[in-house]
Amino acid sequence: MKTIHEPHLMQREADELRSAGKRIALVPTMGALHGGHAALIREARTRGDVVVVTLFVNPTQFGEGEDFGRYPRDIDRDVLRVSDAGGDILFAPETTSMYPPGYQTFVDVETLSRRLEGAARPGHFRGVSTVVTKLFNIARPHCAVFGQKDAQQVVVLRRMVRDLDLGIEIIVVPTVREQDGLAMSSRNAYLTPSQRGEAPVLYRSLRKGEDMIRAGERSAEAVVARVTAEITAHSSAVIDYVSVAEAESLDPLPTLSPGTPVLVSLAARFGATRLIDNIHIRL
Ligand code: AMP
Protein backbone atom coordinates (compact mmCIF):
# COMPACT_ATOMS: atom_id res chain seq x y z
CA MET A 1 0.00 0.00 0.00
CA LYS A 2 1.16 3.48 -0.89
CA THR A 3 0.77 6.56 1.35
CA ILE A 4 0.51 9.98 -0.28
CA HIS A 5 0.49 13.27 1.65
CA GLU A 6 0.46 15.96 -1.03
CA PRO A 7 -2.75 16.78 -2.94
CA HIS A 8 -0.94 17.43 -6.23
CA LEU A 9 0.83 14.04 -6.01
CA MET A 10 -2.47 12.28 -5.31
CA GLN A 11 -3.99 14.09 -8.27
CA ARG A 12 -1.14 13.02 -10.53
CA GLU A 13 -1.49 9.40 -9.35
CA ALA A 14 -5.27 9.51 -9.96
CA ASP A 15 -4.80 10.93 -13.46
CA GLU A 16 -2.34 8.14 -14.30
CA LEU A 17 -4.73 5.49 -12.96
CA ARG A 18 -7.58 6.96 -14.99
CA SER A 19 -5.43 7.07 -18.13
CA ALA A 20 -4.67 3.39 -17.59
CA GLY A 21 -8.44 2.74 -17.52
CA LYS A 22 -8.63 1.99 -13.80
CA ARG A 23 -11.81 2.58 -11.82
CA ILE A 24 -11.09 4.52 -8.62
CA ALA A 25 -13.20 3.93 -5.48
CA LEU A 26 -12.80 6.51 -2.71
CA VAL A 27 -13.39 6.08 1.03
CA PRO A 28 -13.16 9.38 2.93
CA THR A 29 -12.47 9.05 6.68
CA MET A 30 -11.16 11.06 9.60
CA GLY A 31 -9.00 8.15 10.80
CA ALA A 32 -9.11 6.35 14.17
CA LEU A 33 -10.36 3.53 12.00
CA HIS A 34 -12.72 0.84 13.28
CA GLY A 35 -14.87 -1.96 11.88
CA GLY A 36 -17.29 0.50 10.25
CA HIS A 37 -14.50 2.02 8.18
CA ALA A 38 -13.19 -1.48 7.33
CA ALA A 39 -16.65 -2.39 5.95
CA LEU A 40 -16.53 0.70 3.72
CA ILE A 41 -13.07 -0.23 2.44
CA ARG A 42 -14.16 -3.82 1.75
CA GLU A 43 -17.19 -2.51 -0.17
CA ALA A 44 -14.93 -0.16 -2.15
CA ARG A 45 -12.73 -3.17 -2.99
CA THR A 46 -15.68 -4.73 -4.80
CA ARG A 47 -16.51 -1.48 -6.63
CA GLY A 48 -13.20 -0.30 -8.03
CA ASP A 49 -9.84 -1.46 -9.35
CA VAL A 50 -8.03 0.90 -7.00
CA VAL A 51 -9.22 1.79 -3.49
CA VAL A 52 -8.13 5.19 -2.20
CA VAL A 53 -8.76 5.78 1.51
CA THR A 54 -8.41 9.34 2.75
CA LEU A 55 -7.49 10.18 6.30
CA PHE A 56 -8.01 13.81 7.23
CA VAL A 57 -9.44 15.34 10.40
CA ASN A 58 -11.16 18.21 8.65
CA PRO A 59 -11.14 21.36 10.78
CA THR A 60 -13.89 23.12 8.80
CA GLN A 61 -16.55 20.60 9.84
CA PHE A 62 -15.94 21.10 13.57
CA GLY A 63 -17.70 23.93 15.38
CA GLU A 64 -16.34 26.20 18.08
CA GLY A 65 -15.88 24.18 21.29
CA GLU A 66 -16.22 20.80 19.52
CA ASP A 67 -13.65 18.01 19.73
CA PHE A 68 -11.30 18.90 16.82
CA GLY A 69 -8.28 19.24 19.14
CA ARG A 70 -8.84 15.98 20.98
CA TYR A 71 -10.18 13.89 18.06
CA PRO A 72 -8.28 10.55 18.23
CA ARG A 73 -5.32 10.39 15.84
CA ASP A 74 -3.16 7.29 15.30
CA ILE A 75 -1.76 7.20 11.79
CA ASP A 76 0.50 4.16 12.32
CA ARG A 77 -2.41 2.01 13.42
CA ASP A 78 -4.60 3.42 10.64
CA VAL A 79 -2.02 2.52 7.97
CA LEU A 80 -2.21 -1.12 9.10
CA ARG A 81 -6.00 -1.09 9.22
CA VAL A 82 -6.32 0.36 5.71
CA SER A 83 -3.97 -2.21 4.24
CA ASP A 84 -5.64 -5.08 6.17
CA ALA A 85 -9.05 -4.05 4.84
CA GLY A 86 -7.79 -3.91 1.25
CA GLY A 87 -6.92 -0.26 0.58
CA ASP A 88 -4.36 0.46 -2.14
CA ILE A 89 -3.59 4.11 -1.49
CA LEU A 90 -3.83 6.07 1.74
CA PHE A 91 -4.13 9.80 1.16
CA ALA A 92 -3.30 11.66 4.38
CA PRO A 93 -2.78 15.37 3.72
CA GLU A 94 -1.64 18.03 6.19
CA THR A 95 -4.17 20.69 7.15
CA THR A 96 -2.01 23.40 5.57
CA SER A 97 -1.97 21.67 2.19
CA MET A 98 -5.78 21.33 2.20
CA TYR A 99 -6.41 24.83 3.56
CA PRO A 100 -3.38 27.01 2.76
CA PRO A 101 -3.29 30.61 3.99
CA GLY A 102 -5.88 32.68 2.09
CA TYR A 103 -8.26 29.75 1.59
CA GLN A 104 -11.82 31.07 1.17
CA THR A 105 -13.94 28.80 -1.04
CA PHE A 106 -16.79 26.72 0.42
CA VAL A 107 -19.57 24.47 -0.86
CA ASP A 108 -22.94 24.79 0.88
CA VAL A 109 -25.92 22.51 0.23
CA GLU A 110 -28.29 25.07 1.62
CA THR A 111 -31.51 23.58 2.99
CA LEU A 112 -30.54 19.98 3.76
CA SER A 113 -27.45 21.16 5.64
CA ARG A 114 -29.56 23.08 8.13
CA ARG A 115 -31.76 20.20 9.24
CA LEU A 116 -31.11 17.80 12.17
CA GLU A 117 -27.34 17.57 12.68
CA GLY A 118 -26.96 20.86 10.82
CA ALA A 119 -29.28 22.64 13.26
CA ALA A 120 -27.32 21.23 16.20
CA ARG A 121 -23.93 21.83 14.55
CA PRO A 122 -24.10 25.01 12.42
CA GLY A 123 -21.53 24.95 9.61
CA HIS A 124 -20.83 21.22 9.96
CA PHE A 125 -22.15 20.18 6.55
CA ARG A 126 -20.61 23.20 4.83
CA GLY A 127 -17.28 21.83 6.06
CA VAL A 128 -18.17 18.28 4.99
CA SER A 129 -19.39 19.33 1.52
CA THR A 130 -16.30 21.44 1.00
CA VAL A 131 -13.77 18.82 2.02
CA VAL A 132 -15.53 16.05 0.10
CA THR A 133 -15.56 18.24 -3.04
CA LYS A 134 -11.85 18.81 -2.58
CA LEU A 135 -11.22 15.08 -2.04
CA PHE A 136 -13.25 14.31 -5.18
CA ASN A 137 -11.13 16.80 -7.15
CA ILE A 138 -7.90 15.42 -5.71
CA ALA A 139 -8.56 11.66 -5.97
CA ARG A 140 -10.81 11.85 -9.07
CA PRO A 141 -12.89 8.81 -8.06
CA HIS A 142 -15.55 7.08 -10.12
CA CYS A 143 -17.42 6.15 -6.94
CA ALA A 144 -17.22 6.99 -3.25
CA VAL A 145 -18.35 4.92 -0.27
CA PHE A 146 -20.03 6.35 2.85
CA GLY A 147 -21.71 4.89 5.94
CA GLN A 148 -25.43 4.90 6.77
CA LYS A 149 -24.30 5.78 10.31
CA ASP A 150 -24.06 9.38 9.04
CA ALA A 151 -27.40 9.28 7.23
CA GLN A 152 -27.73 13.02 6.72
CA GLN A 153 -24.22 13.23 5.32
CA VAL A 154 -25.26 10.80 2.57
CA VAL A 155 -28.39 12.84 1.80
CA VAL A 156 -26.41 16.10 1.63
CA LEU A 157 -23.62 14.62 -0.52
CA ARG A 158 -26.04 12.95 -2.95
CA ARG A 159 -27.74 16.33 -3.42
CA MET A 160 -24.34 17.99 -3.92
CA VAL A 161 -23.28 15.43 -6.54
CA ARG A 162 -26.54 15.99 -8.45
CA ASP A 163 -26.52 19.78 -8.11
CA LEU A 164 -22.89 20.18 -9.20
CA ASP A 165 -22.99 17.44 -11.89
CA LEU A 166 -20.05 15.69 -10.28
CA GLY A 167 -20.88 12.35 -11.89
CA ILE A 168 -19.59 10.32 -8.94
CA GLU A 169 -21.58 7.32 -7.75
CA ILE A 170 -22.36 7.47 -4.01
CA ILE A 171 -22.47 4.04 -2.37
CA VAL A 172 -23.89 3.53 1.13
CA VAL A 173 -22.87 0.78 3.56
CA PRO A 174 -25.15 -0.22 6.49
CA THR A 175 -24.11 0.82 9.99
CA VAL A 176 -21.66 -1.60 11.59
CA ARG A 177 -22.42 -2.18 15.27
CA GLU A 178 -20.74 -3.62 18.34
CA GLN A 179 -22.26 -6.86 19.64
CA ASP A 180 -24.48 -4.93 22.03
CA GLY A 181 -25.85 -2.76 19.21
CA LEU A 182 -23.82 0.42 19.78
CA ALA A 183 -22.91 1.90 16.41
CA MET A 184 -19.14 1.82 15.94
CA SER A 185 -17.68 5.32 16.12
CA SER A 186 -14.26 6.84 16.65
CA ARG A 187 -15.92 8.90 19.40
CA ASN A 188 -16.88 5.79 21.41
CA ALA A 189 -13.29 5.89 22.69
CA TYR A 190 -14.20 8.97 24.74
CA LEU A 191 -16.85 7.11 26.77
CA THR A 192 -16.15 6.20 30.39
CA PRO A 193 -16.84 2.54 31.24
CA SER A 194 -20.19 3.44 32.77
CA GLN A 195 -21.20 5.60 29.78
CA ARG A 196 -20.10 2.78 27.47
CA GLY A 197 -22.39 0.48 29.43
CA GLU A 198 -25.34 2.82 28.89
CA ALA A 199 -24.69 3.80 25.27
CA PRO A 200 -26.39 0.77 23.61
CA VAL A 201 -29.68 2.32 24.82
CA LEU A 202 -29.56 4.55 21.73
CA TYR A 203 -29.96 1.70 19.26
CA ARG A 204 -32.33 -0.19 21.57
CA SER A 205 -34.59 2.85 21.72
CA LEU A 206 -34.51 3.25 17.93
CA ARG A 207 -35.51 -0.40 17.60
CA LYS A 208 -38.43 0.19 19.98
CA GLY A 209 -39.50 3.07 17.73
CA GLU A 210 -39.19 0.83 14.68
CA ASP A 211 -41.25 -1.90 16.37
CA MET A 212 -44.02 0.62 17.09
CA ILE A 213 -44.07 1.78 13.47
CA ARG A 214 -44.09 -1.78 12.16
CA ALA A 215 -46.95 -2.55 14.57
CA GLY A 216 -48.98 0.23 12.95
CA GLU A 217 -48.15 3.43 14.85
CA ARG A 218 -48.45 6.34 12.41
CA SER A 219 -47.89 9.32 14.70
CA ALA A 220 -44.30 10.58 14.62
CA GLU A 221 -44.90 12.37 17.90
CA ALA A 222 -45.73 9.08 19.62
CA VAL A 223 -42.58 7.46 18.19
CA VAL A 224 -40.37 10.37 19.28
CA ALA A 225 -41.93 10.29 22.76
CA ARG A 226 -41.27 6.55 23.11
CA VAL A 227 -37.66 6.74 21.91
CA THR A 228 -37.00 9.72 24.19
CA ALA A 229 -38.58 8.01 27.20
CA GLU A 230 -36.50 4.84 26.65
CA ILE A 231 -33.26 6.79 26.58
CA THR A 232 -33.99 8.97 29.59
CA ALA A 233 -35.32 6.05 31.65
CA HIS A 234 -32.24 3.89 31.08
CA SER A 235 -29.30 6.27 30.88
CA SER A 236 -27.78 9.56 31.93
CA ALA A 237 -27.73 10.73 28.30
CA VAL A 238 -28.91 14.23 27.44
CA ILE A 239 -30.85 14.16 24.18
CA ASP A 240 -30.07 16.75 21.48
CA TYR A 241 -32.90 15.60 19.24
CA VAL A 242 -34.98 12.60 18.22
CA SER A 243 -36.44 13.00 14.75
CA VAL A 244 -38.80 11.19 12.41
CA ALA A 245 -38.24 12.53 8.90
CA GLU A 246 -38.76 11.67 5.25
CA ALA A 247 -35.48 9.94 4.44
CA GLU A 248 -34.58 11.86 1.27
CA SER A 249 -35.81 15.41 1.89
CA LEU A 250 -35.33 15.17 5.68
CA ASP A 251 -38.66 16.99 5.97
CA PRO A 252 -40.31 16.33 9.34
CA LEU A 253 -43.08 13.75 8.99
CA PRO A 254 -45.97 14.37 11.38
CA THR A 255 -47.78 11.29 10.07
CA LEU A 256 -46.19 8.21 8.54
CA SER A 257 -47.78 6.94 5.38
CA PRO A 258 -47.22 3.77 3.35
CA GLY A 259 -44.48 3.94 0.73
CA THR A 260 -42.58 6.74 2.45
CA PRO A 261 -38.95 6.04 3.36
CA VAL A 262 -38.56 7.10 6.98
CA LEU A 263 -35.41 8.10 8.84
CA VAL A 264 -35.63 7.90 12.61
CA SER A 265 -32.49 9.60 13.91
CA LEU A 266 -31.12 10.95 17.12
CA ALA A 267 -28.19 12.63 18.80
CA ALA A 268 -27.46 12.39 22.51
CA ARG A 269 -24.66 13.36 24.85
CA PHE A 270 -23.01 11.17 27.41
CA GLY A 271 -21.10 13.81 29.36
CA ALA A 272 -19.07 15.68 26.73
CA THR A 273 -19.37 12.84 24.18
CA ARG A 274 -21.98 13.35 21.51
CA LEU A 275 -23.18 10.22 19.70
CA ILE A 276 -25.57 9.85 16.76
CA ASP A 277 -27.50 6.90 15.41
CA ASN A 278 -30.40 6.22 13.06
CA ILE A 279 -32.66 3.63 11.56
CA HIS A 280 -34.04 3.68 8.03
CA ILE A 281 -37.52 2.21 7.58
CA ARG A 282 -39.55 1.70 4.43
CA LEU A 283 -43.23 1.28 5.20
P1 AMP B 1 -15.58 9.31 10.05
O1 AMP B 1 -14.17 8.84 10.06
O2 AMP B 1 -16.28 9.17 11.35
O3 AMP B 1 -15.74 10.67 9.41
O4 AMP B 1 -16.36 8.31 9.09
C1 AMP B 1 -15.89 8.04 7.78
C2 AMP B 1 -16.92 7.22 7.06
O5 AMP B 1 -17.16 6.02 7.79
C3 AMP B 1 -18.27 7.92 6.93
O6 AMP B 1 -18.81 7.64 5.66
C4 AMP B 1 -19.08 7.29 8.03
O7 AMP B 1 -20.47 7.31 7.77
C5 AMP B 1 -18.55 5.88 8.00
N1 AMP B 1 -18.81 5.20 9.28
C6 AMP B 1 -18.48 5.63 10.52
N2 AMP B 1 -18.92 4.77 11.46
C7 AMP B 1 -19.56 3.77 10.78
C8 AMP B 1 -20.24 2.57 11.17
N3 AMP B 1 -20.36 2.22 12.45
N4 AMP B 1 -20.75 1.80 10.21
C9 AMP B 1 -20.65 2.14 8.89
N5 AMP B 1 -20.01 3.24 8.46
C10 AMP B 1 -19.48 4.05 9.38
Side-chain angles (χ1 to χ4, degrees), residues 202 204-231 239 241-245 253-256 262-266 279 281 283:
L202 301 182
R204 274 205 310 275
S205 71
L206 288 170
R207 293 290 300 273
K208 294 247 157 85
E210 178 179 16
D211 289 347
M212 281 173 83
I213 294 170
R214 296 214 184 276
E217 179 60 65
R218 293 294 172 259
S219 154
E221 199 181 331
V223 175
V224 169
R226 178 70 198 274
V227 173
T228 305
E230 277 294 317
I231 295 171
I239 296 173
Y241 64 84
V242 175
S243 150
V244 176
L253 272 183
T255 308
L256 310 185
V262 178
L263 181 72
V264 185
S265 63
L266 59 78
I279 259 182
I281 305 165
L283 290 178

Side-chain angles (χ1 to χ4, degrees), residues 28-30 34 36-37 40 71 146-147 149-150 153 174-176 184:
T29 83
M30 297 204 298
H34 51 66
H37 299 113
L40 267 54
Y71 197 83
F146 296 89
K149 157 92 188 327
D150 296 274
Q153 173 168 275
T175 302
V176 178
M184 289 188 183

Side-chain angles (χ1 to χ4, degrees), residues 89-104:
I89 298 175
L90 177 64
F91 174 59
E94 295 295 334
T95 305
T96 47
S97 53
M98 291 293 274
Y99 298 110
Y103 188 92
Q104 53 189 284

Side-chain angles (χ1 to χ4, degrees), residues 27-40 54 56 61 71 145-151 153-154 157 171-178 182-188 276:
V27 182
T29 83
M30 297 204 298
L33 301 182
H34 51 66
H37 299 113
L40 267 54
T54 72
F56 180 59
Q61 71 189 68
Y71 197 83
V145 185
F146 296 89
Q148 176 64 25
K149 157 92 188 327
D150 296 274
Q153 173 168 275
V154 171
L157 295 178
I171 295 155
V172 184
V173 168
T175 302
V176 178
R177 299 180 179 281
E178 304 287 356
L182 176 63
M184 289 188 183
S185 165
S186 308
R187 292 191 167 98
N188 292 349
I276 58 172

Side-chain angles (χ1 to χ4, degrees), residues 62-107:
F62 288 80
E64 200 73 11
E66 290 187 358
D67 56 344
F68 175 69
R70 67 178 185 126
Y71 197 83
R73 292 165 171 87
D74 188 348
I75 182 141
D76 294 337
R77 191 171 152 277
D78 284 343
V79 167
L80 293 177
R81 288 218 138 201
V82 171
S83 86
D84 282 355
D88 299 304
I89 298 175
L90 177 64
F91 174 59
E94 295 295 334
T95 305
T96 47
S97 53
M98 291 293 274
Y99 298 110
Y103 188 92
Q104 53 189 284
T105 305
F106 292 87
V107 179

Side-chain angles (χ1 to χ4, degrees), residues 102-137:
Y103 188 92
Q104 53 189 284
T105 305
F106 292 87
V107 179
D108 192 11
V109 180
E110 296 187 351
T111 305
L112 290 171
S113 293
R114 281 152 188 77
R115 300 265 157 89
L116 304 172
E117 279 299 281
R121 304 181 66 191
H124 170 67
F125 287 112
R126 176 180 185 259
V128 170
S129 306
T130 300
V131 81
V132 170
T133 302
K134 286 172 67 67
L135 294 171
F136 284 175
N137 287 331

